[in-house]
Amino acid sequence: MDDDKNIKVERALQELFKLKNDVETELRLIKIDASSGEFCPFPERLAPEVVAVYKKRGIERLFSHQAEALENVLQRRHTVVATPTASGKTLIYNAAALDALTRDPSAKSLYLFPTKALSQDQLAELFDLNKALGDKLGLYTYDGDTPQTMRQAIRKQAQIVLSNPYMLHSGILPHHTKWASLFENLKYVVIDELHYYTGVFGSHVANVMRRLKRICAFYGTRPVFIMSSATIANPAELAEKLIEEKVVLVDRNGAPRGEKFLVFFNPPVVNRSLGIRRSYVSMSREIAGILLKAGLQVITFANSRLITEILVKYLKNDFEKTVQEKGTVRGYRGGYLPRMRREIEKGLRDGKIKAVVSTNALELGIDIGSLDAVVLASYPGSISSTWQRIGRAGRRSSRSLGVLVASSMPIDQYIVNHPEYFSGQSPEMGRINADNLTVLMDHIKCAAFELPFAKGDEYGSENLEEILSYLTENQVLLRKDDKWFWTEEGYPADAVSLNRITSDNFVVVDRTEGERVIAEVGFSDALETLHPKAIYILEGEQYVVEELDYENRKAFLTRSNADYYTDSITYTKIKVLDIFDETRLKNHTISYGDVHVFSQVVGFKKLKFFTMENVGAGELQLPQQEMHTTAFWLTVRNDVLQSLDFSNEEKIEAVAGIAYLMKQISPVILLCDVRDVGVAIEDNLSKDPLQPGTLKNMLRNQAPSSGTFRADMTFANRFEPNIFIFDKYPGGVGFSETLYDKGKALLEKALEIIESCPCPSGCPSCVSPAIRAQGNHKSAARFILKLLLDRLDN
């Protein structure tokens, strides 16, 4: 079987090189050699009954990292295991939980997964182990889908509870008296997919862990934390910040792996004068087709729900031409109903599904078997995410293949032309700020509801008594005999979202023939994907949104045969609240501080399938969203801009191009995901917000004079741009301060990309294409950056 797969991978590689020659483009190949692995015996401390269960399943020895981690856990040391995907991390915490139950049937373990799907997936694994033990364990998931009729029985009977941080926060901790049996006997807390707990979500979960430990202490227990993570730069640091305890790090992988090939494929240039490359979506479609024709089972990852559905439609069109082939290509993303997701997962494990296109929903450790090849439709935005996705392919003894298809974005072009950055760079760091005052205040309220605070208590690094006094003054708490008690009706956890956005989902209702619910969409995505006249795509089927009921969180759709899809346009405005620090330099100023971000979906474009031709647009008036966060900003002095020997149009386009480039390159400096930061431009003199697109629209909308567009001269003469790179996590998690410290490096990287890009006058890979036929905003952007870096003599 493995020999057959190896031959198919070899054949696919040959076809990819043939494609590279046919379209005359660049392809770079990295080969990762196979490893035989490192094995160790089971730890002597592990209960013989548990060892016997695993040996019955054919596991005679452990991988070295499994043995090392188990040894530490059994000695009651908090442990984090950071090894690649499919390296057997699940065995570590399952063996520890079973060991505790073998020694003490009253022992309890709490497993926390970031998604409900992962909980269900791990429950299936535990059921298999339980059968080997004679079906004597109480194993239950406890999440929002758990029927009310079962909840009381679970609280009393469960020995291993599989849940998620959301349910722990709002469904377990506030009602801890009903869970006394769990907290009185809690031996282990498992936090799976640790790398997922970053940013605002991780900051909230760190506070949930503070509350969990506080309640455990009340019941007289001190559980051991077992954490598993994909490869990130700082797993021990992140784990220690999350649980505020010293941890042991196990990160030397002992699992065997098959030979793996990584292909970096750059779509060919189709317009050399504009520097425009062939669409990465159509290129990903062609490459996935090559892999499927070679007989490989393929997963294609896209970075958005929209691109996921477009690729599903394309691949179904290519490969589902008969009744027998129907269902061999599927999509997978958030919003699909649970039954559909389980069906797809089973189809992948069984091999009935030959290709799946997914968002990051399948990036986590859901069991879909071991596929043969992965296609990444553009760079996922982070190194750790790229490795996670590529790790979805490959058995431990056979070859596998990963193909990264670059988009025209600067960060993609940088990665595909510098694969050594990807292969040699440390993965991203997980950053959290558990003492973010807004987050901290929310959880102090939750903690006070759960147990009253007493004088001398500690919670976080801020002055707790000062915060408690503030809440008392606002009649949220009542102080009595040096204790603080919750006074309001209801419980605060119900109003605190761990993602800092409303937790309301929009229900998607198809009313083509009657009414039926076909999907759910999270609040943050709903306004962009379910606005009136939007084309909503589900498993390759198109629907048009007829009505968005914002108040009741419903969208009503009917089936459509439209030959286009829609892409929303969002307008962002920023108000500076506080400047933490600033540095005034010769020609510019850099600053960072608190800002208020206002965003609103204001319109949409209609883009034809296959050709991506813009065939129309529409205006929208949807509710405005607000966020308090931090930002870094660069201010170019007005007199400096006025002194430049470029037209006003070129200056304005150059500023927009620099903003575009800074936003794309920030993740390389920050080692974060490109979606973690946003960009906006404001005029420092007028304080009116100006999006990069808004600046260009201003140029477009001017009346032509002698065949050229002219910018508003009054505007250009008073223009002093603030280019904001803002933290997309409410409250901020440190990105802005890092950019402030590395502002010069950001400008240097931007200049390097402009100077290395072969296009003559701007393209998507550097400062974006020019609006006008005349002029050269790329040269203007290059000149401005050299001026800011004081390099005009170079």
Side-chain angles (χ1 to χ4, degrees), residues 474-750:
N474 286 272
Q475 300 182 329
V476 174
L477 302 181
L478 171 70
R479 182 172 182 173
K480 185 177 180 181
D481 298 330
D482 287 337
K483 285 193 174 182
W484 287 263
F485 297 85
W486 180 256
T487 61
E488 295 190 346
E489 292 184 8
Y491 61 99
D494 200 36
V496 176
S497 166
L498 299 189
N499 296 309
R500 294 305 300 156
I501 54 173
T502 177
S503 55
D504 294 346
N505 284 343
F506 279 71
V507 176
V508 181
V509 181
D510 173 20
R511 57 185 185 193
T512 307
E513 300 172 1
E515 289 193 356
R516 66 185 183 104
V517 175
I518 57 171
E520 285 189 4
V521 175
F523 183 90
S524 59
D525 296 315
L527 299 182
E528 296 182 353
T529 59
L530 294 175
H531 58 76
K533 299 182 182 178
I535 297 296
Y536 182 80
I537 310 175
L538 180 73
E539 281 268 84
E541 291 282 339
Q542 294 128 257
Y543 300 82
V544 62
V545 179
E546 294 185 335
E547 179 189 351
L548 177 64
D549 184 348
Y550 183 83
E551 294 298 324
N552 294 308
R553 304 295 192 257
K554 287 185 177 181
F556 296 95
L557 300 71
T558 55
R559 283 199 196 93
S560 169
N561 292 318
D563 62 352
Y564 65 87
Y565 62 94
T566 51
D567 192 13
S568 63
I569 301 167
T570 302
Y571 173 75
T572 304
K573 158 182 154 181
I574 289 186
K575 178 183 178 182
V576 175
L577 301 176
D578 189 17
I579 299 175
F580 297 155
D581 203 357
E582 71 175 12
T583 302
R584 295 181 180 273
L585 300 166
K586 181 178 176 182
N587 296 309
H588 66 288
T589 300
I590 58 171
S591 317
Y592 87 99
D594 266 346
V595 296
H596 204 84
V597 179
F598 304 85
S599 62
Q600 186 174 26
V601 178
V602 296
F604 62 94
K605 297 176 289 186
K606 297 178 180 179
L607 303 172
K608 286 199 80 166
F609 287 115
F610 306 105
T611 67
M612 309 296 180
E613 179 188 355
N614 191 332
V615 293
E619 294 185 0
L620 297 168
Q621 278 294 333
L622 296 178
Q624 181 173 265
Q625 306 301 306
E626 300 181 24
M627 177 176 67
H628 181 162
T629 187
T630 58
F632 157 82
W633 62 96
L634 164 74
T635 306
V636 183
R637 292 207 330 258
N638 173 263
D639 60 314
V640 172
L641 277 184
Q642 289 304 310
S643 69
L644 302 182
D645 189 22
F646 290 95
S647 69
N648 285 322
E649 293 95 332
E650 287 171 328
K651 293 175 192 176
I652 292 168
E653 282 199 66
V655 169
I658 291 170
Y660 167 80
L661 194 51
M662 285 173 62
K663 196 266 184 184
Q664 295 295 323
I665 292 305
S666 291
V668 177
I669 301 292
L670 292 168
L671 294 175
C672 73
D673 192 299
V674 71
R675 293 174 291 263
D676 291 337
V677 293
V679 64
I681 301 174
E682 285 206 37
D683 180 0
N684 194 43
L685 300 179
S686 73
K687 306 300 181 186
D688 288 332
L690 298 159
Q691 286 300 319
T694 308
L695 290 170
K696 293 186 175 183
N697 288 339
M698 184 195 72
L699 288 169
R700 274 198 187 95
N701 294 334
Q702 296 298 319
S705 174
S706 302
T708 63
F709 288 101
R710 300 181 60 198
D712 183 333
M713 297 301 292
T714 305
F715 168 80
N717 288 334
R718 62 171 170 74
F719 183 41
E720 184 170 275
N722 282 338
I723 301 175
F724 288 89
I725 305 294
F726 62 89
D727 202 325
K728 278 195 171 178
Y729 295 119
V733 291
F735 293 147
S736 303
E737 185 176 3
T738 302
L739 281 179
Y740 177 75
D741 292 337
K742 297 185 176 181
K744 183 179 179 182
L746 178 64
L747 298 181
E748 287 173 339
K749 192 71 72 178

Side-chain angles (χ1 to χ4, degrees), residues 13 16 27-30 261-265 401-404:
L13 277 171
L16 289 176
L27 180 154
R28 291 173 171 83
L29 179 68
I30 293 177
F261 296 94
L262 304 184
V263 176
F264 295 80
F265 198 99
L401 179 60
V403 185
L404 170 60

Side-chain angles (χ1 to χ4, degrees), residues 16 25 32 42 86 198 229 234 280 441 460 525 564 573 623 695 757:
L16 289 176
T25 191
I32 300 173
F42 286 88
T198 60
S229 174
N234 62 334
Y280 77 93
M441 187 82 75
D525 296 315
Y564 65 87
K573 158 182 154 181
L695 290 170
C757 186

Side-chain angles (χ1 to χ4, degrees), residues 88-232:
K89 295 187 284 286
T90 301
L91 179 147
I92 297 164
Y93 51 76
N94 281 344
L98 295 178
D99 177 84
L101 282 166
T102 301
R103 300 175 191 280
D104 178 6
S106 66
K108 313 281 187 183
S109 295
L110 175 63
Y111 288 19
L112 298 174
F113 302 96
T115 66
K116 288 187 286 188
L118 271 173
S119 299
Q120 294 291 340
D121 194 58
Q122 293 299 327
L123 184 64
E125 167 71 12
L126 280 168
F127 277 151
D128 288 343
L129 289 171
N130 194 22
K131 279 183 183 176
L133 287 168
D135 285 323
K136 58 185 181 182
L137 302 181
L139 311 172
Y140 298 93
T141 57
Y142 191 84
D143 54 36
D145 295 336
T146 304
Q148 291 290 338
T149 53
M150 288 182 59
R151 296 190 178 194
Q152 185 176 353
I154 292 172
R155 288 192 288 264
K156 289 182 178 179
Q157 299 170 16
Q159 293 167 299
I160 299 178
V161 178
L162 293 84
S163 191
N164 56 66
Y166 305 98
M167 202 62 179
L168 178 63
H169 157 66
S170 62
I172 297 177
L173 296 181
H175 311 293
H176 61 86
T177 53
K178 296 180 180 179
W179 290 87
S181 175
L182 172 71
F183 292 115
E184 287 170 349
N185 298 283
L186 191 57
K187 295 292 187 283
Y188 293 113
V189 176
V190 172
I191 302 176
D192 195 26
E193 308 286 357
L194 175 75
H195 58 281
Y196 197 81
Y197 298 96
T198 60
V200 67
F201 180 53
S203 302
H204 274 289
V205 173
N207 277 279
V208 174
M209 293 302 107
R210 286 170 172 170
R211 289 161 50 203
L212 170 63
K213 289 168 60 183
R214 187 167 177 259
I215 286 173
C216 286
F218 176 77
Y219 286 96
T221 55
R222 188 176 179 272
V224 173
F225 285 84
I226 309 171
M227 293 159 281
S228 68
S229 174
T231 304
I232 58 173

